[in-house]
Amino acid sequence: MSLRSLCAPIRVMMLLFTMLVLTGCSTLGSNAQPEEPKPDLSQLAHQAAQQMVANNPDLTRYSPMIAATFVSIDNLSQSSTFGRISSEIMASALAQQGMQVREVKMRDSMFIEESVGELILSRQVQRLSAQHNARSILMGTYAQGQDYLYVSARVVRAGDAMVLSSADFQLPLDNNIRSLLESQGGW
């Protein structure tokens, strides 16, 4: 047996081994799952509304509801574009879950301050709920962390301020959320 005849099978085996290794390496990358998109404010608000109704199936009996602007947990008289749009989206999500939502922007009986929104001051809750014939109020707070924005939403019975249902969620603090918070001087 010549040296040449011994080298040929070794070369074939080396070639097959190299192809096997390269094939294995190329399939490693293709098995990686694409990163799922992060949920946005609208998706999380709708999930929170579903959770609120699931936690209290009788929640819709406390209709009609009015929605207050969500406020900064650090200063309850301060809000932002984020706080205003959060309450709007959450009220819309609750309406889709069967809650009757009374639009209060059409009236001037709620404390409305330009660039803050509809803030419900605790001393005005009784008067406002009576004026709007509301049985419940959507309220919420948010807190800015380093990497996340934490949101707490609740529906409160207008007559005695008892929490009927609540839900919490967090959003990654990206440039979009930071932009919505700018009006409060955050980030």
Side-chain angles (χ1 to χ4, degrees):
M1 198 179 250
S2 73
L3 184 59
R4 183 172 269 201
S5 62
L6 284 175
C7 290
I10 293 173
R11 273 192 248 152
V12 170
M13 287 176 38
M14 292 292 283
L15 181 62
L16 288 173
F17 179 75
T18 303
M19 288 174 44
L20 181 64
V21 168
L22 290 175
T23 304
C25 290
S26 69
T27 59
L28 286 177
S30 66
N31 287 340
Q33 297 292 326
E35 188 174 317
E36 288 187 33
K38 296 175 182 159
D40 66 7
L41 175 59
S42 182
Q43 291 170 317
L44 292 171
H46 283 268
Q47 290 171 4
Q50 290 173 348
Q51 179 185 349
M52 291 170 91
V53 172
N55 290 345
N56 183 352
D58 294 330
L59 185 63
T60 58
R61 287 189 10 210
Y62 294 94
S63 291
M65 177 188 79
I66 56 177
T69 296
F70 288 13
V71 295
S72 169
I73 193 72
D74 295 324
N75 183 349
L76 299 178
S77 65
Q78 184 177 11
S79 191
S80 62
T81 303
F82 177 84
R84 290 184 293 280
I85 195 62
S86 295
S87 70
E88 292 287 327
I89 293 171
M90 193 75 195
S92 174
L94 284 165
Q96 290 178 21
Q97 292 294 315
M99 197 78 175
Q100 295 174 0
V101 180
R102 180 139 307 142
E103 181 59 67
V104 295
K105 287 182 205 58
M106 298 177 71
R107 299 183 182 183
D108 60 353
S109 59
M110 201 173 219
F111 170 64
I112 299 177
E113 183 179 314
E114 190 174 329
S115 81
V116 175
E118 306 80 24
L119 300 176
I120 295 191
L121 304 177
S122 59
R123 64 184 176 274
Q124 295 177 321
V125 170
Q126 295 290 339
R127 180 180 60 84
L128 287 171
S129 60
Q131 279 182 323
H132 293 283
N133 193 26
R135 298 186 65 207
S136 61
I137 302 165
L138 170 65
M139 303 173 131
T141 54
Y142 58 89
Q144 184 177 341
Q146 181 173 331
D147 297 320
Y148 291 95
L149 185 70
Y150 300 90
V151 181
S152 179
R154 58 208 154 278
V155 174
V156 176
R157 190 167 45 211
D160 59 5
M162 293 297 295
V163 175
L164 298 169
S165 195
S166 64
D168 306 308
F169 57 90
Q170 66 186 29
L171 286 160
L173 198 52
D174 59 16
N175 287 337
N176 184 50
I177 299 300
R178 284 184 178 98
S179 176
L180 295 173
L181 292 168
E182 279 182 4
S183 62
Q184 79 172 22
W187 88 277

